[in-house]
């Protein structure tokens, strides 16, 4: 089967900084793929280029075989790629449920079967249904992260990109998040997740890709990648 997302030779320069240096990466339908690498290795830039936040300097991105390279973010979102940001984001002055409603208004028509037909059902899924009437701005950090997940799911993605979804969460919240993310492939949503927490990545991902200075240095089964001397080398003194 052809991959849901096929990235070839993707590069991105910011002035003199090479954030991505010709990355090839395939995401298979139905998997939860992890992307790891040291700070500044290009992980967020990879997501930003795939989702149209930044235009690539070179290379191509095919989504279900369609060339989406350099399209505007709204066009890529409508094609079916959802994104949660490294910084938790919502409209602080609006209600929690209202935030999910607004995110869903711009969802594409048709596409994948939507397991969460209403904003309320999405809030139930992420465990925030009791807080639907609260202003998003008063949510504690962990709940704001879960709201971010609900907002991304409201756009009805068939591929969801999660950038450090567990950053700042406590152990209980992280366990809850893992439980939610693991359910997504069963709902027809392929996942690609960035995180520094290798325990989390081992729980979520059968396959890992590793970036270092904008290049992919490893890609394969999680345990094999984490034992790869090249990977250990870039994390030397780090948290592996
Ligand atoms: N908008 C931008 N303008 C200029 N340089 C940028 C921009 N975004 C990223 N960079 C640079 O590109 C490189 C890769 O950054 P990126 O944010 O993709 O790394 P990362 O792997 O996500 O790091 P972290 O683990 O800290 O989130 C860094 O050198 C960064 O300073
Ligand atoms: Mg980042």
């Amino acid at each position: 089967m052809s991959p849901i997302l096929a990235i070839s030779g993707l590069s991105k320069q910011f002035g003199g900084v090479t954030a991505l240096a010709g990355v090839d990466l395939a995401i298979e339908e139905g998997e939860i793929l992890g992307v790891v690498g040291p700070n500044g290795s290009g992980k967020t830039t990879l997501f930003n280029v795939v989702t149209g936040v930044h235009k690539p300097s070179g290379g191509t991105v095919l989504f279900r075989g369609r060339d989406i390279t350099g399209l505007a973010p709204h066009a890529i979102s409508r094609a079916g790629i959802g994104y949660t940001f490294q910084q938790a984001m919502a409209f602080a002055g609006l209600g929690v449920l209202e935030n999910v409603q607004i995110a869903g208004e711009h969802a594409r028509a048709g596409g994948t079967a939507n397991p969460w037909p209403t904003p309320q059902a999405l809030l139930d899924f992420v465990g925030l249904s009791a807080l639907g009437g609260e202003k998003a701005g008063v949510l504690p950090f962990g709940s704001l992260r879960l709201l971010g997940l609900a907002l991304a799911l409201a756009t009805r993605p068939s591929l969801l990109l999660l950038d450090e979804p567990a950053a700042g969460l406590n152990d209980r919240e992280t366990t809850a998040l893992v439980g939610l993310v693991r359910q997504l492939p069963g709902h027809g949503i392929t996942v690609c997740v960035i995180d520094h927490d290798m325990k989390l990545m081992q729980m979520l991902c059968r396959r890992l890709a590793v970036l270092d200075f904008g290049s992919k240095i490893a890609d394969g089964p999680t345990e094999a990648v984490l034992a790869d001397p090249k990977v250990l080398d870039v994390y030397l003194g780090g948290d592996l």
Side-chain angles (χ1 to χ4, degrees), residues 40 43-45 86 163-164 194 196:
K43 305 179 299 298
T44 296
T45 303
Q86 194 166 352
D163 195 351
E164 300 197 25
I194 292 171
H196 289 285

Side-chain angles (χ1 to χ4, degrees), residues 217-234:
I217 61 159
D219 184 346
T222 300
E223 296 311 320
V225 164
L226 293 179
D228 182 333
K230 283 196 303 294
V231 176
L232 293 172
D233 204 40
V234 305

Side-chain angles (χ1 to χ4, degrees), residues 95-232:
V96 168
L97 184 62
E98 254 179 303
N99 265 278
V100 182
Q101 282 163 341
I102 290 168
E105 274 167 18
H106 300 286
R108 71 220 166 97
T112 351
N114 187 352
W116 298 285
T118 64
Q120 187 61 53
L122 262 172
L123 282 189
D124 287 342
F125 175 69
V126 301
L128 291 180
S129 47
L131 299 174
E134 301 290 332
K135 293 266 185 279
V138 307
L139 289 184
F141 186 79
S143 303
L144 195 56
R145 281 255 167 227
L146 291 171
L147 177 58
L149 179 61
L151 295 177
L153 290 172
T155 66
R156 304 182 63 196
S158 52
L159 171 64
L160 181 61
L161 309 180
L162 302 171
D163 195 351
E164 300 197 25
L169 298 187
N170 63 33
D171 286 351
R172 186 180 50 77
E173 292 166 333
T174 301
T175 304
L177 180 82
V178 167
L180 294 177
V181 173
R182 275 189 175 153
Q183 291 178 52
L184 297 178
H187 291 302
I189 300 170
T190 302
V191 178
C192 182
V193 54
I194 292 171
D195 214 281
H196 289 285
D197 180 345
M198 294 304 167
K199 286 208 187 70
L200 173 77
M201 295 307 248
Q202 281 172 296
M203 280 191 276
L204 279 178
C205 310
R206 287 213 193 103
R207 179 163 75 102
L208 285 186
V210 185
L211 295 183
D212 189 33
F213 291 109
S215 294
K216 192 176 80 173
I217 61 159
D219 184 346
T222 300
E223 296 311 320
V225 164
L226 293 179
D228 182 333
K230 283 196 303 294
V231 176
L232 293 172

Side-chain angles (χ1 to χ4, degrees), residues 36-79:
V36 301
N39 292 118
S41 56
K43 305 179 299 298
T44 296
T45 303
L46 180 72
F47 278 11
N48 280 337
V49 170
V50 167
T51 56
V53 173
H54 293 314
K55 295 239 184 291
S57 310
T60 56
V61 181
L62 301 185
F63 179 57
R64 297 190 184 284
R66 174 185 164 207
D67 191 345
I68 59 162
T69 319
L71 293 184
H74 71 268
I76 293 176
S77 166
R78 275 176 187 247

